[in-house]
Amino acid sequence: MAEINVLPPHLADLIAAGEVVERPASVVKELAENALDAGASKIEIRLRIGSGSFIQVKDDGDGMLPEDAGVCFLRHATSKLSSPEGLERINTMGFRGEALAAISAVSRIELITRRRGEKTGVRVQVEAGEIIDISEYGCPEGTSITVRDLFFNTPARRKFLKSDKAEASACCLAAAKFALANHLVTVRLVNDGNEEFFSPGDWHESSAIYNVLGAEFMKGLVFVSSQTEEVEVSGFISSPASCRGNRTKQFFFCNGRPISSLLLQSALEQAYKNRLMTGKFPACVLQLSISPASVDVNVHPAKTQVRFRDERAVFDAVYYAAMAALGAEGSAPELAIPAAAEQTDAVALKSGELDNDTIIIDRRSSGALSGAALHDGAAPYLTGQSRISGVFSASGAARQSAAGSIEAAASPSYGLKSAKPSAPRGFATEAVFHREAEVAPRAEESEAAPYRVIGEAMKTYLIVETEGQLLLIDKHAAHERMIFDRLLSSDSGAMAQELLTPVTIKASPEELELLAESSERLRAIGLELEPFGQGSLILRTVPADMDPSDASALVEELFEKLRLGEKLPPEEARESILRSVACKAAIKAGWDTEPGELELLAEAVVSGRVKYCPHGRPVAVTLTQKQLERSFGRIV
Ligand code: ADP
Ligand code: MG
């Protein structure tokens, strides 16, 4: 008799279940991620571990059609992937169609769901992978999944579980990581009847951190923000003084997924070398954004491990981001730099406990905030009327520049030894700046505070003195915003520069098709692309500010955006493309920048026209005279 059996599907599910559902916390993670993929803006997680245990996740997302509600429990049933090409550009948390199959194979599940726009919902009951009932059900739009008696039919598996308390706290940790990764979504966690946290989903990463990890955790955090060609790193790390006895407060995320990574851990810890006592470890909440093509999340079914294509680049990005945030080694005692007043309010008012040394910076996510919204209101740091004598006013500079003279804007500054006129590459020429001024007439109306440019540090931060405070301006972020706003407001088409040698770029048939549909839109922002023979296209012009050597990278990114853009409202899709162009066209950290350019940036920020980069990061942080005085013990 033959000795090889093909396992029946149910047995295969049971085995696979062990990989996806290791413990109750995996259920929390998978269900919450499904809610997110369904576009939920509010997610409630309730759990009780122990006798009568259950895990319930409710969302206000898209819900499922009655005919999908039973199918979703089948192995490899997913609405998120339909072709091999799709695997290259996953933009959902799930795609393997395994979680519900795996969870339902080892538990009793009740699914209640109603598709958005449908009149009624449906209720499905599943036990050990078998559907035992499906019936019509009255319920709100969205989905609620309740998982009971996890591992009831796999006693061997149950034996590997830790104590109820340990499993419950692993569940809470999974929910916490989820909320930290998704500060745009309201997440509420109730464990054993007690609310563990309520993360308001108000777009502030800092309020997610505050609500999930507590006020104590916020103390002594340092803001991190850096961007290299490959990797964007943002978030918070602990100051050396507030490091801890273990690593439990290190939270890393990659493209919105919580991940554990020895690589990232050691990059972070290297940055603290010679600053920490042995046995102390930094804490962090760090978000990495990497092009999906450069990171493989498909390493393990639970997707908590990732493989980076260029590990060195990722290591360096985190290491240098942390180093920059911590400041140069051997420097004076660290000063925590608070964000502009407006930004601190949300959290600081609420807590009543935060001291002035706490850094809270609002990191608004891109997307939903339009350029206009970001523009609103004067710069929060421009209060008070006293003038620093001999320093010219920002609005004056704006007028001079708008009249067409960059020298005029540059020359009155102090501290810049050679404020020579220039219109260097990658930066606004007079004409460009002229349009800038037209875009934001408010700048001329508003009585901006006087300021002086002190200089530039680390080829990245512009140091500017205004009334009673220092502003540190991220030159890339500020310039990026200026270009973005200009592109956004120019309907007539951006200026294009012709490439001396047109660039040919390989493109798939799908990309060529996308191009055919969008060539007008791209031309309007200065990109002239045409099909060029078999499987390639030719790029003839790039936006005026851009370095031609960045052109092909930009085109690659644009294809990604065009693909994603198909799902977005037109205006959002356009903004997303403009963000890419602005980012590529802006001066970069690490580049030499002419004093005249720095002056224009300073003016744009001080006048309040530029506050956030198009990705939502602040372009400037402030250090007040009071803070300095307190730090030097001049006042208490
Ligand atoms: P995956 O997330 O990898 O697609 P899952 O097994 O987690 O696989 O889910 C299977 C399918 O069930 C999903 O693709 C989705 O269509 C549907 N689904 C699961 N949870 C929800 C939810 N909360 N809201 C709407 N649809 C859901
Ligand atoms: Mg899933």
Side-chain angles (χ1 to χ4, degrees), residues 320-335:
Y320 287 111
M323 285 287 274
L326 292 173
E329 205 170 321
S331 63
E334 282 199 323
L335 295 178

Side-chain angles (χ1 to χ4, degrees), residues 30-39 57 59 61-64 68 71-74 76-81 92-103 111 113 115 142-145 303:
E30 295 293 340
L31 297 185
E33 290 184 354
N34 278 349
L36 187 73
D37 285 348
V57 176
D59 67 59
D62 294 335
M64 284 180 249
D68 286 336
V71 177
C72 70
F73 295 104
L74 297 178
H76 307 309
T78 178
S79 53
K80 301 164 195 171
L81 182 66
T92 49
M93 302 301 287
F95 56 86
R96 300 168 65 119
E98 286 179 333
L100 290 185
I103 298 167
L111 159 68
T113 185
R115 181 80 181 170
T143 302
S144 154
I145 299 189
K303 307 185 199 80

